[in-house]
Amino acid sequence: MDGDRISTAAEREERILARRRRIQERINAKLQGEGGVSKKENIEKKETSRGKQQIVESRKRLYRLKLDGNDVVTDIRVVNDNRENLRQIDEEQQRQTLRAELLREAEKSARENASISLSWGELYKFNVPQELYKEIQAVKDSTQSVIDSKDELLDQLKTELKQKDDEYSKTLKRYAEDVDLLISNMGGQFRKLERAYQEELEEIENAFLVERKDIVENHKGEMLHLFEKRNQMEQHYMEAAQERAEQYQQQLEKLRQADAEDYNILKIRLETDIQNLEQHLEAMRATYQLNTEKLEYNYRVLVERDQENQSTINQQKRKIARQRDLLSNLKNRYADSDKKFQEENLKLTEEYKRITEQFKDLQNKYKHFQAADMRKFEEVWNMNQEIVSKFVDKVLQADKIIHEQQLGMKWVAPDKELFESPKEEQIAEEEESDKGSSDEDALARQLDEKLRDPQFTATLELLISESKFLSGGSPTSQKDLSKEDAAKKILNALEISDGPGFDALMAILQKDETSSALVDASEVVKRLKLFVQSNLAATASAAASVGAKGFRLGQRQHVDKDKIYWERLANVISPQMFRIWNALENNLQDYYKELQSRNSLLNETQSLQKENLELQKLLQNYLNSKINEDLQIPPTKIM
Amino acid sequence: MGVEPLKIEIPHHLNRHELFVPALKDLCVKVVAENFVLQPSFGSLDKENKAKVVDLLSLELPLELVGPVIEEEVYWKRRSQSRWSNCELSAHGDSWKQLYFEKNLAQTLENFDPVNEDLEELKRLLAFSSPWVYNLNMKQLPSHMDLQVLLSPSLLSNLFFMKLTYGRHNVGMDYEQSLFGMKLSDCVSLARALEWTETLTYLNLSSNLLDDDRVKMIASGIAENKSISHLDLSHNKIADRGVKALASLLDRRSVLVFLNLRSNQIHVEGGRAIARALKSNKSLLSLNLSLNRIGDEGCRAIIEAATQNESLTTLNLSATAAGESSTKALGNLIRQNTSLARVDASCNDFGEEGGAIVSEALETNKTLQSIDVRMSNVGENHEKAISEMLKSRFTF
């Protein structure tokens, strides 16, 4: 580590040394390079700094001047201060001497005053007026002396005051002079400074001008030198250029000849090319024109179409919006109506059930009434038959009597057949129909068996899964149903109630008759539709031909038989016989009329006899009645 | 412009030749200017028309009315120059408006007569002048009014400069000693006022015949004050006791920057007191003790104290009766101190030796820009040498 550090340190030092060496070398090189013009340049260097130097010097001078000016101006203040200082000292001394004097004087006067006041006391001792006068004079003198000394002091003070006054006025004057001096000094300084600034400015300007001149001259010399150099170089260049020009001229000539030939060949070729290309261009232009027109036309068409499309798109959009609205409306309406119809459906189913119930009741009733009617009919029939047979017997009896007794002819009895009633046949038929109903039950049973048959389970499952809608009711309720019930429901809906129908259905749900593979789930409904349609058509025609017709025919046959039977009974007497009878009747009628008339006459006579008798009786009664007595005039009297 | 019925007078003197009718705008401007008292507002006038109106405004308009409305310097310049011939704008923040208000207020105060004039009126003037009054320069105050009124922050809220001299203009033969100088009662009121003024920074009480007792009173006021940085007590009668009171202000909490005690009656004791204060003070930048008879002893003490002080930049000991022993101290001061830029030691008695010491010491000093030793008996040679040395210290 240490070794490394030392080595790196040494390296660094080496590097530093090397750098220093390089710098030194560079400086030396510079100096040597400048050596040729060094003196001049050195002078120039000095001169360039001359302007700046001048500025510095000027500033120095001006600074000095300013300080001098300041001194000159402040000198007055300083002098004044000094004077004031001295004055203060003087004044202080004066005041002190004055104070001392005053003190002395005060002391002296106090002393004298004391002596005077003492002397006043001594005056009382003198009784001799002259002496007293003398003493008083003496006191007066001493007082006078005190007063004099005070006066003297006063005078002194007054003179001092005067002096002070004078001094004050002098000071004022001096101040005025000082102020004048100050102003003049300031003015002088200002002017001096101004002048100095002017001079310095000029000098700086001069310095700069000299500097500028030097620089200009230097540059001029340099420029001339450079111009000369340039001229020489230009000369050289011109000569070289001439030489080169000649060379180039020759070369050019050669090249020109060669190129001229080439050019001609090329020109010809190119001209032909140009022609070709021009033709081509024309053709292209034409096609281009055509294309442009076509494209323009197309473009316009497209634009128009685009516009149309735009408008149609807009329309469609609007329509879509409208349709969407409509759709939502319809959906709503569908949902509403679906609900409504579901309810209605439920209601109707209920209604249907009720009606079926009612219908079954009605059928029962109908059957009941039919049976009752039949019974009644039979009873009526039997009764009528009896009556008719009695009548027939009677007629036959009468015929026999007529034949035998009236006509004296042999009477032949009619056929036994004649009296055979159709009732017995009817009974046989009814037995047969009973047998048919039992057949229907058998069919249903057969269907059930087939439903349970494993052979059809796959088909049935398919049917159930694809046509649940046929079984009716809600899908949830269907789940609860067993498979068999569901299948039954569907079969009911398809109106299949017997084995063959079921077989046909199974057949339809198989792809083809041979294979047992089932049809595709999606086709189940279609096939069922077809099956139901064909079935419907078949049942419709069958019902039309067989059902109703058979029933009516049976009825009519019955009626015809009865008619024949009854006609036969009615025509027991043949028409000849009847004619005979008629003729007989007519004769007998006539006879009868005769008899009747006789009878009537007899009756009349009898009735007349009776009436006569009655009238006799009545008269008798009337006459015998009591009422006659009440009458004023009794009939008897009249009679 | 306020909605006003325009009273357009058709000038009668209009000649037939004067076909140019003045523009309606000019007429309006004229009317606005004439009726400015009724409607003291420029409303939405544009600059040009406002200037026109201002040009036409009367100079007699009540100050209270125009003070807040008119900002135009032109108007105030006109008004000031019509009233005073001498207007030194730089002393009044270079604002004519300020100048007018300050001069007006100073003049009113100087001529205030408490007997005939109402103090409330004066207070009103103070109140509405206060936004534009920063300086107050009074050369007399014959009313000797309560200075608490003047310095109350509620009235003159911007005042920071006050120069007050209790003098008397144009006395002539009615001179009486008692007319001049500050009375003790004035000092009391000033001290009270100083205790709670917050804006005043410059206080000048020169030429007020302040003796020791009065200065003590004022010093007690300044002791409570934290705003005054410039204190000028020149040309008074402050002696040693007063100076001691002032020196006690120069403690560590002091904010005094500039202290002028020129031309007082300070003697040796006062000088010592100031020297003691200087040793611990950090705020003072300029101290002027010229024209005091501090004596050699006192000067030496002050110079020695200044040697240790690192904040003082200007020291004036001109005419302080300094002698030889101060010279040595001065030499030390020049050699050791690095903060002083200007020293005035003129009009003392240093002698030739002193000159030699100073010039010698100056060679080691780099910070001093000027030292004045004129009239100090240092000898011409030394004086020249010193001034040369200072002049050659030309640096940019």
Side-chain angles (χ1 to χ4, degrees):
Chain A
M1 284 286 278
D2 280 340
D4 279 3
R5 204 180 288 164
I6 287 161
S7 70
T8 52
E11 272 175 19
R12 204 169 61 186
E13 270 174 21
E14 261 176 35
R15 275 208 301 279
I16 289 165
L17 277 176
R19 204 185 302 150
R20 273 187 193 154
R21 233 177 287 134
R22 277 204 299 278
I23 289 165
Q24 196 61 43
E25 276 168 12
R26 215 176 294 154
I27 288 166
N28 285 342
K30 221 178 190 177
L31 281 174
Q32 279 168 6
E34 282 170 353
V37 254
S38 66
K39 268 194 178 172
K40 215 177 177 181
E41 278 192 4
N42 275 348
I43 290 160
E44 261 174 38
K45 226 177 190 177
K46 268 182 193 167
E47 272 168 1
T48 48
S49 64
R50 195 152 68 183
K52 280 174 188 170
Q53 223 169 0
Q54 182 61 44
I55 289 172
V56 173
E57 272 169 24
S58 299
R59 276 191 174 168
K60 258 183 199 170
R61 193 189 147 208
L62 288 172
Y63 177 68
R64 198 173 280 249
L65 259 178
K66 256 190 259 175
L67 286 180
D68 283 345
N70 206 28
D71 279 354
V72 170
V73 174
T74 50
D75 261 347
I76 294 161
R77 180 177 57 77
V78 172
V79 169
N80 241 319
D81 277 0
N82 197 34
R83 206 183 293 144
E84 173 68 15
N85 192 25
L86 293 176
R87 191 193 66 78
Q88 276 182 1
I89 294 165
D90 277 355
E91 206 181 299
E92 213 165 314
Q93 278 176 351
Q94 260 181 12
R95 201 180 290 153
Q96 267 169 2
T97 51
L98 200 65
R99 191 177 285 165
E101 227 165 276
L102 277 172
L103 277 173
R104 205 176 58 234
E105 212 282 327
E107 254 175 56
K108 196 177 133 199
S109 66
R111 218 166 39 237
E112 280 178 3
N113 275 342
S115 71
I116 288 164
S117 59
L118 272 177
S119 59
W120 278 112
E122 282 174 6
L123 279 181
Y124 294 108
K125 292 173 189 172
F126 299 100
N127 297 323
V128 186
Q130 281 85 2
E131 277 181 10
L132 184 68
Y133 175 72
K134 224 165 100 188
E135 282 303 312
I136 287 171
Q137 276 302 318
V139 172
K140 221 183 209 171
D141 285 348
S142 60
T143 323
Q144 192 62 44
S145 75
V146 171
I147 289 168
D148 283 349
S149 73
K150 294 267 182 196
D151 275 350
E152 204 182 318
L153 199 68
L154 212 69
D155 283 345
Q156 204 183 335
L157 283 174
K158 265 182 188 161
T159 52
E160 194 134 322
L161 200 68
K162 208 165 195 180
Q163 264 180 13
K164 283 270 173 192
D165 251 2
D166 285 350
E167 202 182 314
Y168 176 65
S169 57
K170 264 188 209 163
T171 317
L172 277 184
K173 225 178 265 171
R174 215 170 50 229
Y175 280 166
E177 280 167 17
D178 278 352
V179 168
D180 285 348
L181 189 63
L182 189 68
I183 288 167
S184 72
N185 273 1
M186 277 162 78
Q189 285 304 320
F190 173 69
R191 273 192 293 280
K192 208 167 148 190
L193 269 177
E194 203 179 23
R195 222 170 22 244
Y197 270 109
Q198 200 77 37
E199 281 169 17
E200 291 306 319
L201 188 69
E202 270 171 25
E203 254 174 63
I204 291 167
E205 234 172 46
N206 280 339
F208 273 116
L209 276 176
V210 168
E211 201 180 313
R212 183 175 168 275
K213 209 173 157 191
D214 285 354
I215 292 168
V216 166
E217 271 175 15
N218 278 342
H219 285 182
K220 217 178 245 173
E222 209 172 317
M223 238 157 75
L224 280 174
H225 178 69
L226 285 172
F227 266 127
E228 233 169 76
K229 215 170 166 185
R230 185 175 172 273
N231 271 341
Q232 278 180 2
M233 281 172 82
E234 265 181 2
Q235 200 107 32
H236 279 303
Y237 176 74
M238 285 286 271
E239 282 167 14
Q242 213 146 21
E243 266 178 39
R244 253 175 301 165
E246 276 170 17
Q247 276 179 15
Y248 287 147
Q249 202 76 36
Q250 287 170 0
Q251 276 182 12
L252 266 175
E253 206 58 43
K254 275 184 204 164
L255 280 173
R256 206 173 273 160
Q257 283 174 0
D259 282 351
E261 286 164 17
D262 285 354
Y263 171 74
N264 277 335
I265 295 161
L266 195 70
K267 195 183 176 186
I268 291 158
R269 207 177 66 214
L270 286 177
E271 264 170 4
T272 52
D273 277 3
I274 284 168
Q275 277 172 2
N276 287 341
L277 284 173
E278 262 171 5
Q279 283 171 4
H280 193 59
L281 180 70
E282 282 302 316
M284 287 311 284
R285 206 170 264 165
T287 47
Y288 168 72
Q289 195 78 20
L290 202 66
N291 275 346
T292 321
E293 276 166 20
K294 242 191 258 174
L295 287 174
E296 248 166 35
Y297 175 71
N298 282 353
Y299 173 68
R300 258 178 233 147
V301 169
L302 285 172
V303 164
E304 271 171 34
R305 212 172 276 171
D306 185 46
Q307 281 173 354
E308 276 168 29
N309 286 347
Q310 205 65 37
S311 62
T312 46
I313 282 166
N314 286 338
Q315 271 179 2
Q316 295 293 350
K317 270 180 190 163
R318 259 172 292 167
K319 215 186 246 177
I320 284 167
R322 228 168 30 232
Q323 297 291 357
R324 233 170 242 155
D325 286 350
L326 212 64
L327 179 68
S328 63
N329 279 345
L330 284 173
K331 267 181 186 164
N332 287 339
R333 244 153 63 193
Y334 165 73
D336 286 349
S337 46
D338 187 41
K339 221 189 214 170
K340 212 165 73 193
F341 285 129
Q342 208 81 34
E343 283 169 19
E344 214 171 316
N345 189 19
L346 269 175
K347 243 191 275 173
L348 286 174
T349 344
E350 289 294 319
E351 187 87 20
Y352 169 71
K353 276 177 189 165
R354 200 169 50 81
I355 286 169
T356 345
E357 287 290 318
Q358 276 179 359
F359 178 65
K360 272 178 187 166
D361 279 357
L362 203 65
Q363 267 182 333
N364 284 339
K365 265 182 206 168
Y366 175 69
K367 271 179 188 165
H368 172 74
F369 282 118
Q370 222 170 10
D373 282 353
M374 285 300 275
R375 232 178 5 257
K376 261 184 197 168
F377 180 70
E378 267 173 47
E379 279 169 15
V380 171
W381 180 281
N382 290 336
M383 190 182 73
N384 283 345
Q385 213 172 5
E386 264 174 49
I387 296 168
V388 167
S389 57
K390 262 180 207 164
F391 277 125
V392 169
D393 282 344
K394 213 177 178 176
V395 168
L396 287 175
Q397 208 72 37
D399 197 30
K400 196 181 172 183
I401 293 167
I402 288 167
H403 268 89
E404 283 172 356
Q405 291 177 8
Q406 296 290 331
L407 300 173
M409 294 164 34
K410 203 192 171 188
W411 183 72
V412 183
D415 277 341
K416 267 283 184 207
E417 249 178 44
L418 199 65
F419 302 104
E420 241 176 39
S421 97
K423 212 69 213 175
E424 282 147 20
E425 285 171 35
Q426 228 170 359
I427 287 158
E429 269 174 30
E430 271 167 16
E431 274 172 6
E432 246 176 71
S433 75
D434 282 350
K435 204 181 173 186
S437 71
S438 70
D439 273 2
E440 266 180 31
D441 286 346
L443 275 173
R445 235 171 288 130
Q446 192 185 0
L447 188 64
D448 281 352
E449 273 166 22
K450 285 203 169 172
L451 279 174
R452 283 188 206 101
D453 193 341
Q455 184 188 341
F456 300 116
T457 44
T459 324
L460 273 176
E461 265 171 26
L462 178 72
L463 190 67
I464 290 160
S465 66
E466 284 303 319
S467 48
K468 266 177 189 166
F469 61 91
L470 287 172
S471 58
S474 64
T476 46
S477 65
Q478 280 173 12
K479 274 181 187 172
D480 305 334
L481 288 172
S482 70
K483 219 183 272 174
E484 215 171 295
D485 289 345
K488 262 185 193 169
K489 279 203 168 184
I490 290 164
L491 292 179
N492 275 338
L494 292 175
E495 292 178 358
I496 293 165
S497 50
D498 49 3
F502 185 78
D503 286 342
L505 181 63
M506 291 299 121
I508 241 174
L509 289 175
Q510 277 160 3
K511 258 188 181 169
D512 45 57
E513 282 154 33
T514 49
S515 74
S516 62
L518 293 175
V519 291
D520 193 54
S522 58
E523 273 195 27
V524 171
V525 180
K526 250 189 231 170
R527 290 205 176 200
L528 277 178
K529 225 176 188 176
L530 278 173
F531 171 73
V532 170
Q533 274 171 4
S534 62
N535 227 15
L536 266 180
T539 46
S541 59
S545 57
V546 185
K549 226 179 192 172
F551 181 69
R552 262 182 244 150
L553 263 176
Q555 288 287 84
R556 206 177 279 168
Q557 274 174 343
H558 276 293
V559 173
D560 286 349
K561 274 181 184 169
D562 289 353
K563 225 180 185 173
I564 291 163
Y565 172 66
W566 289 113
E567 268 175 16
R568 206 167 58 224
L569 283 184
N571 296 330
V572 170
I573 309 299
S574 61
Q576 296 121 322
M577 203 60 77
F578 200 67
R579 243 182 296 143
I580 298 167
W581 277 40
N582 273 345
L584 187 65
E585 196 189 1
N586 282 338
N587 291 336
L588 284 174
Q589 208 79 37
D590 289 344
Y591 182 57
Y592 177 66
K593 266 176 192 169
E594 209 52 55
L595 285 173
Q596 261 205 325
S597 55
R598 246 198 260 169
N599 188 31
S600 64
L601 287 173
L602 279 170
N603 280 351
E604 215 173 325
T605 48
Q606 263 175 345
S607 68
L608 283 171
Q609 278 169 346
K610 224 185 251 180
E611 210 173 329
N612 201 19
L613 274 169
E614 272 172 18
L615 283 169
Q616 276 172 351
K617 268 179 200 171
L618 261 172
L619 196 59
Q620 207 65 37
N621 280 353
Y622 281 136
L623 289 173
N624 296 343
S625 75
K626 284 170 187 172
I627 212 160
N628 289 336
E629 290 166 13
D630 295 340
L631 289 170
Q632 285 174 348
I633 312 161
T636 48
K637 284 181 178 168
I638 303 168
M639 291 183 5
Chain B
M1 182 161 48
V3 179
E4 264 178 25
L6 293 172
K7 290 170 252 170
I8 301 170
E9 290 172 30
I10 296 160
H12 308 293
H13 58 273
L14 193 74
N15 291 330
R16 292 250 169 232
H17 324 296
E18 292 173 355
L19 291 171
F20 293 110
V21 180
L24 180 59
K25 216 191 252 177
D26 293 341
L27 291 173
C28 292
V29 163
K30 203 172 153 194
V31 171
V32 169
E34 277 167 5
N35 297 309
F36 196 75
V37 181
L38 303 174
Q39 199 82 30
S41 148
F42 292 107
S44 55
L45 270 183
D46 59 18
K47 226 176 179 179
E48 199 182 328
N49 288 322
K50 203 171 164 186
K52 278 184 188 169
V53 171
V54 168
D55 278 344
L56 291 173
L57 278 182
S58 162
L59 299 178
E60 307 300 324
L61 290 172
L63 264 188
E64 192 171 2
L65 181 85
V66 293
V69 182
I70 300 177
E71 295 296 337
E72 277 73 8
E73 286 286 292
V74 183
Y75 176 77
W76 296 107
K77 185 178 178 182
R78 211 147 52 85
R79 197 162 172 167
S80 303
Q81 284 180 337
S82 78
R83 193 164 161 188
W84 301 290
S85 55
N86 247 338
C87 297
E88 194 189 352
L89 200 59
S90 61
H92 299 278
D94 289 326
S95 158
W96 284 102
K97 193 175 185 180
Q98 191 184 334
L99 178 135
Y100 189 87
F101 273 100
E102 285 170 357
K103 279 198 122 174
N104 175 57
L105 183 60
Q107 204 170 340
T108 312
L109 288 167
E110 282 178 349
N111 298 323
F112 183 65
D113 182 358
V115 182
N116 298 327
E117 289 173 48
D118 189 10
L119 185 64
E120 290 306 313
E121 193 69 26
L122 182 69
K123 279 185 180 172
R124 221 159 63 81
L125 172 70
L126 284 169
F128 71 71
S129 301
S130 75
W132 302 281
V133 173
Y134 298 88
N135 305 325
L136 209 48
N137 188 350
M138 289 172 286
K139 294 196 175 66
Q140 66 169 24
L141 195 62
S143 59
H144 288 280
M145 61 182 295
D146 189 352
L147 291 171
Q148 293 185 60
V149 174
L150 266 188
L151 293 175
S152 154
S154 61
L155 288 173
L156 287 183
S157 52
N158 294 332
L159 192 71
F160 77 91
F161 173 103
M162 185 167 83
K163 180 174 180 184
L164 178 56
T165 303
Y166 284 86
R168 191 58 75 93
H169 295 313
N170 305 324
V171 186
M173 293 308 285
D174 298 331
Y175 171 81
E176 244 182 274
Q177 174 87 43
S178 63
L179 290 177
F180 290 83
M182 221 169 164
K183 291 189 168 41
L184 195 59
S185 61
D186 295 328
C187 295
V188 171
S189 72
L190 177 63
R192 291 265 168 74
L194 287 178
E195 277 174 24
W196 41 275
T197 181
E198 287 170 349
T199 53
L200 197 68
T201 62
Y202 191 107
L203 182 63
N204 188 336
L205 292 170
S206 68
S207 314
N208 271 328
L209 297 175
L210 292 169
D211 60 14
D212 287 348
D213 293 333
R214 287 166 204 184
V215 166
K216 270 181 167 175
M217 183 54 70
I218 290 167
S220 74
I222 294 171
E224 299 295 321
N225 183 289
K226 284 281 156 239
S227 65
I228 288 177
S229 59
H230 284 65
L231 185 61
D232 191 338
L233 294 169
S234 58
H235 305 291
N236 281 303
K237 301 202 296 186
I238 306 167
D240 291 343
R241 281 194 299 132
V243 170
K244 277 180 186 168
L246 287 173
S248 70
L249 293 179
L250 295 171
D251 55 6
R252 286 177 173 282
R253 299 187 302 132
S254 162
V255 292
L256 265 182
V257 170
F258 174 92
L259 181 61
N260 190 351
L261 292 169
R262 179 181 163 85
S263 184
N264 277 293
Q265 295 173 359
I266 306 168
H267 291 271
V268 178
E269 276 306 306
R272 285 202 187 114
I274 286 173
R276 271 196 298 279
L278 263 187
K279 277 180 190 169
S280 61
N281 183 277
K282 305 257 184 216
S283 65
L284 209 61
L285 296 179
S286 169
L287 178 63
N288 190 345
L289 291 167
S290 61
L291 278 173
N292 282 295
R293 312 217 42 75
I294 300 170
D296 197 16
E297 190 86 352
C299 282
R300 188 171 56 79
I302 289 169
I303 291 168
E304 278 172 1
T307 311
Q308 296 168 20
N309 189 297
E310 287 175 354
S311 56
L312 206 63
T313 60
T314 307
L315 180 63
N316 193 341
L317 290 170
S318 164
T320 46
E324 273 181 40
S325 63
S326 311
T327 325
K328 286 169 191 166
L330 192 62
N332 280 334
L333 174 81
I334 293 166
R335 265 194 288 275
Q336 292 174 18
N337 188 291
T338 52
S339 64
L340 271 174
R342 293 177 184 281
V343 175
D344 190 347
S346 61
C347 307
N348 285 304
D349 186 19
F350 294 137
E352 298 255 345
E353 272 181 47
I357 291 170
V358 169
S359 60
E360 211 173 285
L362 260 182
E363 283 175 11
T364 56
N365 184 291
K366 302 273 178 205
T367 51
L368 213 59
Q369 287 175 13
S370 80
I371 177 160
D372 198 342
V373 289
R374 279 174 291 180
M375 312 292 277
S376 292
N377 299 330
V378 289
E380 238 174 90
N381 293 335
H382 288 304
E383 204 178 313
K384 268 192 180 172
I386 289 166
S387 75
E388 270 307 306
M389 216 176 283
L390 289 172
K391 278 172 193 170
S392 62
R393 290 190 173 185
F394 171 76
T395 47
F396 283 106

